[in-house]
Short mmCIF file of all heavy atoms in Angstrom, two decimals:
data_model
loop_
_atom_site.label_atom_id
_atom_site.label_comp_id
_atom_site.label_asym_id
_atom_site.label_seq_id
_atom_site.Cartn_x
_atom_site.Cartn_y
_atom_site.Cartn_z
N LEU S 252 27.38 -14.51 -2.96
CA LEU S 252 28.51 -15.37 -2.62
C LEU S 252 28.62 -16.51 -3.63
O LEU S 252 29.71 -16.89 -4.05
CB LEU S 252 28.30 -15.92 -1.21
CG LEU S 252 29.53 -16.43 -0.50
CD1 LEU S 252 30.57 -15.33 -0.39
CD2 LEU S 252 29.16 -16.95 0.89
N ALA S 253 27.47 -17.05 -4.04
CA ALA S 253 27.45 -18.12 -5.03
C ALA S 253 28.10 -17.63 -6.31
O ALA S 253 28.89 -18.35 -6.93
CB ALA S 253 26.01 -18.56 -5.29
N GLY S 254 27.78 -16.40 -6.71
CA GLY S 254 28.37 -15.81 -7.91
C GLY S 254 29.88 -15.74 -7.78
O GLY S 254 30.62 -16.07 -8.72
N LEU S 255 30.36 -15.34 -6.59
CA LEU S 255 31.80 -15.21 -6.37
C LEU S 255 32.48 -16.56 -6.46
O LEU S 255 33.55 -16.69 -7.06
CB LEU S 255 32.05 -14.61 -4.98
CG LEU S 255 31.96 -13.10 -4.88
CD1 LEU S 255 32.20 -12.66 -3.44
CD2 LEU S 255 33.00 -12.46 -5.81
N VAL S 256 31.83 -17.58 -5.87
CA VAL S 256 32.41 -18.93 -5.89
C VAL S 256 32.56 -19.40 -7.32
O VAL S 256 33.60 -19.94 -7.73
CB VAL S 256 31.53 -19.90 -5.06
CG1 VAL S 256 31.92 -21.34 -5.33
CG2 VAL S 256 31.65 -19.58 -3.59
N ILE S 257 31.52 -19.16 -8.10
CA ILE S 257 31.56 -19.61 -9.50
C ILE S 257 32.67 -18.89 -10.26
O ILE S 257 33.40 -19.48 -11.05
CB ILE S 257 30.17 -19.44 -10.13
CG1 ILE S 257 29.26 -20.54 -9.56
CG2 ILE S 257 30.24 -19.51 -11.64
CD1 ILE S 257 27.85 -20.47 -10.00
N THR S 258 32.81 -17.60 -10.01
CA THR S 258 33.87 -16.83 -10.67
C THR S 258 35.24 -17.42 -10.31
O THR S 258 36.11 -17.56 -11.18
CB THR S 258 33.79 -15.36 -10.22
OG1 THR S 258 32.47 -14.90 -10.45
CG2 THR S 258 34.76 -14.49 -10.98
N ALA S 259 35.39 -17.77 -9.05
CA ALA S 259 36.66 -18.35 -8.61
C ALA S 259 36.93 -19.66 -9.34
O ALA S 259 38.06 -19.94 -9.75
CB ALA S 259 36.64 -18.57 -7.11
N ILE S 260 35.87 -20.44 -9.53
CA ILE S 260 36.06 -21.73 -10.22
C ILE S 260 36.45 -21.51 -11.68
O ILE S 260 37.31 -22.21 -12.22
CB ILE S 260 34.77 -22.57 -10.10
CG1 ILE S 260 34.63 -23.02 -8.64
CG2 ILE S 260 34.80 -23.77 -11.03
CD1 ILE S 260 33.30 -23.56 -8.30
N LEU S 261 35.83 -20.51 -12.27
CA LEU S 261 36.17 -20.20 -13.66
C LEU S 261 37.64 -19.82 -13.79
O LEU S 261 38.33 -20.23 -14.71
CB LEU S 261 35.29 -19.05 -14.18
CG LEU S 261 33.82 -19.42 -14.43
CD1 LEU S 261 33.00 -18.16 -14.67
CD2 LEU S 261 33.71 -20.35 -15.63
N LEU S 262 38.08 -19.03 -12.83
CA LEU S 262 39.48 -18.59 -12.84
C LEU S 262 40.41 -19.79 -12.69
O LEU S 262 41.42 -19.93 -13.38
CB LEU S 262 39.69 -17.58 -11.70
CG LEU S 262 40.99 -16.80 -11.75
CD1 LEU S 262 41.06 -15.96 -13.01
CD2 LEU S 262 41.11 -15.89 -10.53
N PHE S 263 39.98 -20.69 -11.80
CA PHE S 263 40.76 -21.91 -11.56
C PHE S 263 40.80 -22.78 -12.81
O PHE S 263 41.83 -23.34 -13.17
CB PHE S 263 40.14 -22.65 -10.37
CG PHE S 263 40.41 -24.13 -10.35
CD1 PHE S 263 41.66 -24.62 -9.96
CD2 PHE S 263 39.42 -25.03 -10.73
CE1 PHE S 263 41.90 -25.99 -9.96
CE2 PHE S 263 39.66 -26.40 -10.73
CZ PHE S 263 40.91 -26.88 -10.34
N ALA S 264 39.65 -22.86 -13.50
CA ALA S 264 39.54 -23.78 -14.62
C ALA S 264 40.29 -23.29 -15.85
O ALA S 264 40.90 -24.08 -16.56
CB ALA S 264 38.07 -24.00 -14.95
N PHE S 265 40.23 -21.98 -16.11
CA PHE S 265 40.81 -21.49 -17.37
C PHE S 265 42.01 -20.57 -17.16
O PHE S 265 42.80 -20.37 -18.06
CB PHE S 265 39.72 -20.75 -18.17
CG PHE S 265 38.57 -21.63 -18.53
CD1 PHE S 265 37.33 -21.52 -17.90
CD2 PHE S 265 38.73 -22.61 -19.52
CE1 PHE S 265 36.28 -22.34 -18.24
CE2 PHE S 265 37.67 -23.43 -19.86
CZ PHE S 265 36.44 -23.31 -19.22
N ARG S 266 42.09 -20.00 -16.01
CA ARG S 266 43.19 -19.10 -15.66
C ARG S 266 43.40 -17.97 -16.66
O ARG S 266 44.50 -17.57 -16.98
CB ARG S 266 44.50 -19.89 -15.45
CG ARG S 266 44.35 -20.70 -14.17
CD ARG S 266 45.46 -21.63 -13.95
NE ARG S 266 44.92 -22.83 -13.29
CZ ARG S 266 45.58 -23.94 -13.12
NH1 ARG S 266 46.82 -24.03 -13.55
NH2 ARG S 266 45.03 -24.96 -12.52
#
Side-chain angles (χ1 to χ4, degrees):
Chain S
L252 200 59
L255 278 178
V256 167
I257 286 176
T258 306
I260 290 166
L261 288 169
L262 193 62
F263 155 76
F265 299 107
R266 290 173 214 170

